[in-house]
CSV table of all heavy atoms in Angstrom, one decimal:
chain,number,residue,atom,x,y,z
S,682,GLN,N,18.8,38.8,130.1
S,682,GLN,CA,17.6,38.7,130.9
S,682,GLN,C,17.3,40.1,131.4
S,682,GLN,O,18.1,40.7,132.0
S,682,GLN,CB,17.9,37.8,132.1
S,682,GLN,CG,18.2,36.3,131.7
S,682,GLN,CD,18.6,35.5,133.0
S,682,GLN,OE1,19.8,35.6,133.4
S,682,GLN,NE2,17.7,34.8,133.5
S,683,PRO,N,16.0,40.5,131.2
S,683,PRO,CA,15.6,41.8,131.8
S,683,PRO,C,15.9,41.8,133.3
S,683,PRO,O,16.3,42.9,133.8
S,683,PRO,CB,14.1,41.9,131.4
S,683,PRO,CG,14.0,41.0,130.3
S,683,PRO,CD,14.9,39.9,130.5
S,684,LEU,N,15.6,40.7,134.0
S,684,LEU,CA,15.7,40.7,135.5
S,684,LEU,C,16.2,39.3,135.9
S,684,LEU,O,15.8,38.3,135.3
S,684,LEU,CB,14.4,41.1,136.2
S,684,LEU,CG,13.9,42.5,136.0
S,684,LEU,CD1,12.5,42.6,136.5
S,684,LEU,CD2,14.8,43.5,136.8
S,685,VAL,N,16.9,39.2,137.0
S,685,VAL,CA,17.2,38.0,137.6
S,685,VAL,C,16.4,37.9,138.9
S,685,VAL,O,16.7,38.8,139.8
S,685,VAL,CB,18.7,37.8,137.9
S,685,VAL,CG1,19.0,36.5,138.7
S,685,VAL,CG2,19.5,37.8,136.6
S,686,ARG,N,15.5,37.0,139.1
S,686,ARG,CA,14.6,37.0,140.2
S,686,ARG,C,14.5,35.6,140.8
S,686,ARG,O,15.0,34.6,140.2
S,686,ARG,CB,13.2,37.6,139.9
S,686,ARG,CG,13.2,39.1,139.6
S,686,ARG,CD,13.6,39.9,140.8
S,686,ARG,NE,13.7,41.3,140.5
S,686,ARG,CZ,14.9,41.9,140.4
S,686,ARG,NH1,16.0,41.2,140.4
S,686,ARG,NH2,14.9,43.2,140.1
S,687,ASP,N,13.8,35.4,141.9
S,687,ASP,CA,13.8,34.2,142.6
S,687,ASP,C,12.8,33.2,142.0
S,687,ASP,O,13.0,32.0,142.1
S,687,ASP,CB,13.5,34.4,144.1
S,687,ASP,CG,14.6,35.2,144.8
S,687,ASP,OD1,15.8,34.8,144.5
S,687,ASP,OD2,14.3,36.1,145.5
S,688,GLY,N,11.7,33.7,141.4
S,688,GLY,CA,10.7,32.8,140.8
S,688,GLY,C,11.3,32.1,139.5
S,688,GLY,O,12.0,32.7,138.7
S,689,GLY,N,11.0,30.8,139.4
S,689,GLY,CA,11.4,30.1,138.1
S,689,GLY,C,12.9,29.8,138.1
S,689,GLY,O,13.4,29.5,137.0
S,690,ALA,N,13.6,30.0,139.2
S,690,ALA,CA,15.0,29.7,139.2
S,690,ALA,C,15.4,28.3,139.1
S,690,ALA,O,14.8,27.5,139.9
S,690,ALA,CB,15.7,30.4,140.4
S,691,ARG,N,16.3,27.9,138.3
S,691,ARG,CA,16.7,26.5,138.1
S,691,ARG,C,18.1,26.3,138.6
S,691,ARG,O,19.0,27.2,138.6
S,691,ARG,CB,16.6,26.0,136.7
S,691,ARG,CG,15.2,26.3,136.1
S,691,ARG,CD,15.2,25.9,134.6
S,691,ARG,NE,15.2,24.5,134.4
S,691,ARG,CZ,15.0,23.9,133.2
S,691,ARG,NH1,14.8,24.6,132.2
S,691,ARG,NH2,15.0,22.6,133.1
S,692,LEU,N,18.4,25.0,139.0
S,692,LEU,CA,19.8,24.7,139.4
S,692,LEU,C,20.7,24.7,138.2
S,692,LEU,O,20.4,24.2,137.1
S,692,LEU,CB,19.8,23.3,140.0
S,692,LEU,CG,21.1,22.7,140.5
S,692,LEU,CD1,21.5,23.5,141.8
S,692,LEU,CD2,21.0,21.2,140.9
S,693,ASN,N,21.8,25.4,138.3
S,693,ASN,CA,22.8,25.5,137.2
S,693,ASN,C,23.8,24.4,137.2
S,693,ASN,O,24.9,24.5,137.7
S,693,ASN,CB,23.6,26.9,137.3
S,693,ASN,CG,22.7,28.1,137.1
S,693,ASN,OD1,21.7,28.0,136.3
S,693,ASN,ND2,23.0,29.2,137.7
S,694,LYS,N,23.3,23.2,136.7
S,694,LYS,CA,24.2,22.0,136.7
S,694,LYS,C,25.4,22.1,135.8
S,694,LYS,O,25.3,22.7,134.7
S,694,LYS,CB,23.3,20.8,136.4
S,694,LYS,CG,22.2,20.6,137.3
S,694,LYS,CD,21.6,19.2,137.1
S,694,LYS,CE,21.0,19.1,135.7
S,694,LYS,NZ,20.4,17.7,135.4
Side-chain angles (χ1 to χ4, degrees):
Q682 296 172 279
L684 293 167
V685 176
R686 292 296 176 258
D687 295 315
R691 305 177 73 173
L692 185 67
N693 294 328
K694 297 192 300 180

